[in-house]
Amino acid sequence: MDYKQRVRNAVHDRADRQMNDRTRMAVVDKEVASRTSPIVLRPSNDDDVPAMLDIYRHHIEHGVGNLGAFEPTPFDADDLKAQRGNMLKHRLPHLVATIDGVVAGYASAVLFRKRPAYRFTVKHSIYVHPDRLHIGVGRALLPALIQACASAGFHQMIGYIDSANVASLRLHEACGFRQVGYLRAVALRFGEWTDTVMVQRAIGPEM
């Protein structure tokens, strides 16, 4: 086979690969579009509390386990309403993501510490419904939460992530967070000690 023929074959092979890639992407896009409607973000309200509480309880029940004789502090709808109201009083955002009008996840921020010196720093939480994982709910919520905190005048955002939660670590890295601490064996889940990664990013201008 001469040089020109090898070049022609290489060009055809590349074109075939590109066509296969475009076809594969089209299939993926179609699958994603077919299994979920658009994700809509908005501030939470009291009507969202039952759905948010169900999501929270699922993650607690499936993320701790084997408590033995330890009795966790009860957390019910009234507690969540009070928590949400306290956040709003301090200009702290509390957002929900909905799909077809149903709550698929929520995100919130609280003061990092209560002392006045820390009043410009928040720590955040994101919870996604177990049936809505890996379709972009967290990726929609986190940037919106960052923007809401920045607009409210906060300066830094802190997060604590289980070291085994690779998806959350990647999400935070993609959103500009960097690891600033590693806490070993600080949580007991299903009878095993687990590590926590502390992440941080700036969200406001320097003073």
Side-chain angles (χ1 to χ4, degrees), residues 183-201:
L183 310 175
R184 296 188 181 278
V186 292
L188 182 62
R189 293 187 173 92
F190 294 98
E192 295 185 359
W193 293 106
T194 61
D195 304 339
T196 294
V197 178
M198 183 178 182
V199 297
Q200 177 182 358
R201 69 154 285 172

Side-chain angles (χ1 to χ4, degrees), residues 59-75:
H59 284 284
I60 294 301
E61 292 171 1
H62 291 80
V64 182
N66 296 340
L67 291 176
F70 179 78
E71 290 293 335
T73 302
F75 191 79

